[in-house]
């Protein structure tokens, strides 16, 4: 039995419980009925606008790079790295809509634009799409989820005994985990090697050709890059911003699905609606919310991930808040404070209970 280590943690359930329903009597259809029909409309023109917006901002930063990086010691270089990396994350979110087929109603266009958005970020679009769909279909299921799947107490003990595992999953260094996740095959907390089209842990045989296309696209992209610039230039102009992009991706997705208030399920206690209600919304500030395409609004997104484009999430979320009531989770903490707190407070869940929440690193366990 594990007990809480921090009196500041508040959750709708005890650390361990057999049954729980966050919204008794409420159904997904009832939530859908509250959302204006226009929120389910997809506009190719509008989606392309956001793609062009991100591409234009990134292009402007690369054109301005000589002014930011005029000397190796320039503090503006750090600013440039962070701006480019963050805008890479924004571009990723456009590809995210493509993976859910909310970019447009045309799957071929979504496939093409998804590769345009994700290939420069070294994310194999088909592999990401496959693992991300499995995540959405199993969100916040302790055993079956594929994105920030909670560690059980037994797994946590094992991770803490291994320096590399402890560092990359149980510390602030988890912000660097995404490239490792993409190439990993072994273990219960990874989806499979996103670059290997023959990895049957991740891909069905029908996806082999598309997965191979995504991997080849990245190899061609890297070949072009190394033919145009020397490794040191690429490190400065491309790979450091790439790490910043990975950190943003890990930060945002971690906070979506890792929270002391969050409830996680096993077995018959899990269902799709309850899993969606276990995700957490927050704000990154008006400017960042706009630039990264309202990805901070994740509860409604997880309910209707193939139906509502990102530019309708604000209206859809506002429409259902009153209906969801206390079942709607919004974290008001500044995102940096939430991350620092959650790394300490969200370490593991109970090994066997059907309804659990995270326990901190100082939890008492028998």
């Amino acid at each position: 039995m594990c007990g809480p280590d921090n009196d500041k943690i508040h959750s709708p359930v005890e650390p361990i419980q057999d049954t729980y329903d966050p919204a008794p009597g409420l159904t997904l259809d009832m939530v859908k009925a509250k959302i204006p029909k226009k929120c389910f409309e997809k506009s190719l023109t509008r989606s392309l606008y956001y793609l062009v917006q991100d591409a234009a901002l990134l292009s402007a930063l690369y054109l301005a790079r000589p002014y930011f990086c005029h000397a190796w010691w320039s503090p503006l270089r750090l600013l440039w790295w962070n701006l480019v990396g963050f805008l890479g994350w924004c571009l990723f979110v456009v590809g995210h809509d493509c993976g859910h087929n909310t970019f447009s109603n045309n799957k071929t266009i979504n496939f093409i634009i998804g590769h345009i958005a994700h290939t420069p970020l070294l994310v194999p679009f088909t592999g990401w799409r496959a693992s991300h769909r499995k995540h959405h279909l199993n969100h916040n299921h302790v055993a079956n989820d594929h994105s920030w799947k909670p560690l059980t107490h037994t797994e946590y003990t094992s991770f803490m005994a291994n320096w590399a595992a402890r560092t990359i999953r149980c510390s602030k260094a988890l912000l660097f985990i995404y490239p490792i996740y993409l190439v990993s095959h072994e273990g219960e907390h990874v989806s499979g090697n996103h670059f290997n089209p023959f990895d049957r842990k991740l891909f069905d045989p029908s996806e082999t050709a598309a997965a191979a296309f995504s991997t080849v696209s990245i190899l061609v992209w890297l070949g072009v890059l190394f033919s145009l610039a020397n490794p040191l230039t690429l490190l400065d102009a491309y790979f450091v911003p790439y790490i910043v992009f990975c950190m943003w991706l890990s930060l945002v997705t971690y906070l979506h699905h890792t929270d002391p208030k969050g409830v996680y399920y096993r077995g018959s206690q899990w269902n799709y609606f309850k899993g969606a209600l276990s995700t957490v919304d927050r704000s990154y500030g008006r400017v960042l919310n706009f630039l990264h395409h309202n990805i901070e609004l994740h509860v409604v997104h997880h309910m209707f991930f193939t139906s509502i484009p990102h530019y309708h999430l604000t209206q859809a979320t506002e429409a259902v808040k009153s209906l969801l009531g206390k079942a709607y989770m919004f974290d008001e903490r500044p995102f940096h404070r939430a991350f620092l707190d959650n790394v300490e407070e969200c370490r593991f869940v109970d090994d066997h209970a059907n309804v659990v929440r995270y326990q901190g690193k100082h939890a008492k366990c028998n």
Side-chain angles (χ1 to χ4, degrees):
M1 182 69 71
C2 306
D5 68 320
N6 191 330
D7 292 337
K8 296 180 181 180
I9 297 175
H10 300 285
S11 175
V13 298
E14 293 300 315
I16 303 168
Q17 202 163 307
D18 290 327
T19 62
Y20 178 66
D21 187 349
L26 199 61
T27 67
L28 190 64
D29 286 339
M30 293 169 64
V31 176
K32 185 175 182 180
K34 289 284 289 183
I35 298 174
K37 291 184 178 179
K38 71 175 186 178
C39 291
F40 296 92
E41 296 175 0
K42 307 168 188 177
S43 168
L44 175 60
T45 301
R46 192 167 180 181
S47 295
L48 285 171
Y49 167 80
Y50 290 109
L51 173 69
V52 172
Q53 171 186 289
D54 292 343
L57 290 172
L58 281 166
S59 298
L61 280 172
Y62 272 97
L63 288 173
R65 181 171 174 268
Y67 302 98
F68 283 88
C69 308
H70 57 86
W72 67 266
W73 45 263
S74 173
L76 293 177
R77 186 185 298 271
L78 179 62
L79 174 63
W80 187 87
W81 285 339
N82 278 277
L83 289 173
V84 173
F86 175 75
L87 286 171
W89 159 240
C90 301
L91 181 62
F92 175 89
V93 177
V94 172
H96 174 266
D97 268 16
C98 293
H100 288 313
N101 286 317
T102 54
F103 187 88
S104 77
N105 289 310
N106 188 306
K107 291 185 178 180
T108 300
I109 291 176
N110 296 339
F111 184 79
I112 294 170
I113 300 299
H115 280 82
I116 291 173
H118 280 193
T119 299
L121 303 171
L122 305 185
V123 177
F125 176 73
T126 303
W128 168 83
R129 182 180 64 180
S131 66
H132 195 62
R133 180 173 178 80
K134 291 179 181 178
H135 157 59
H136 270 271
L137 293 176
N138 298 279
H139 43 211
N140 291 338
H141 189 295
V142 175
N144 298 337
D145 198 354
H146 283 258
S147 179
W148 298 111
K149 176 181 177 180
L151 295 173
T152 66
H153 182 248
T154 298
E155 291 170 332
Y156 175 72
T157 301
S158 175
F159 271 55
M160 291 302 287
N162 179 290
W163 178 86
R166 178 175 71 248
T167 300
I168 204 64
R169 182 61 177 87
C170 304
S171 76
K172 299 173 186 65
L174 60 82
L175 292 179
F176 299 96
I177 202 173
Y178 193 63
I180 299 171
Y181 166 77
L182 287 179
V183 300
S184 299
H185 171 80
E186 299 296 334
E188 294 297 320
H189 291 263
V190 297
S191 303
N193 188 332
H194 292 63
F195 293 89
N196 180 2
F198 301 102
D199 190 329
R200 293 296 171 241
K201 181 177 181 180
L202 177 59
F203 298 111
D204 293 331
S206 62
E207 297 175 298
T208 300
F213 179 83
S214 297
T215 299
V216 170
S217 297
I218 289 177
L219 292 175
V220 170
W221 170 256
L222 286 172
V224 170
L225 287 180
F226 279 96
S227 70
L228 294 175
N230 63 66
L232 283 178
T233 299
L234 286 177
L235 177 65
D236 178 50
Y238 182 78
F239 286 106
V240 174
Y242 164 76
I243 294 300
V244 174
F245 149 69
C246 290
M247 293 174 71
W248 269 103
L249 188 153
S250 296
L251 171 71
V252 175
T253 57
Y254 175 81
L255 291 177
H256 281 156
H257 300 289
T258 309
D259 193 277
K261 301 181 296 297
V263 187
Y264 306 85
Y265 304 91
R266 286 188 178 94
S268 62
Q269 275 301 302
W270 181 91
N271 63 46
Y272 180 84
F273 185 46
K274 288 163 71 172
L277 287 173
S278 295
T279 60
V280 182
D281 284 1
R282 64 178 11 89
S283 175
Y284 291 82
R286 183 175 299 180
V287 174
L288 296 191
N289 290 348
F290 169 77
L291 288 174
H292 72 182
H293 311 303
N294 296 119
I295 196 67
E296 75 282 352
L297 298 176
H298 218 57
V299 176
V300 169
H301 169 65
H302 263 263
M303 292 180 185
F304 307 105
F305 68 96
T306 63
S307 305
I308 300 180
H310 77 263
Y311 42 81
H312 291 318
L313 284 174
T314 299
Q315 183 179 6
T317 299
E318 289 300 320
V320 302
K321 279 183 180 179
S322 60
L323 178 66
L324 295 177
K326 293 182 179 180
Y328 172 70
M329 287 199 291
F330 184 91
D331 188 351
E332 296 183 349
R333 293 174 296 171
F335 68 88
H336 62 280
R337 183 73 262 164
F339 172 72
L340 294 174
D341 290 346
N342 291 2
V343 168
E344 301 300 321
E345 297 173 1
C346 301
R347 291 300 183 95
F348 60 85
V349 299
D350 181 74
D351 282 351
H352 305 294
N354 288 326
V355 181
V356 297
R357 70 170 172 86
Y358 268 110
Q359 296 294 283
K361 66 178 183 179
H362 299 303
K364 305 291 190 297
C365 295
N366 298 325

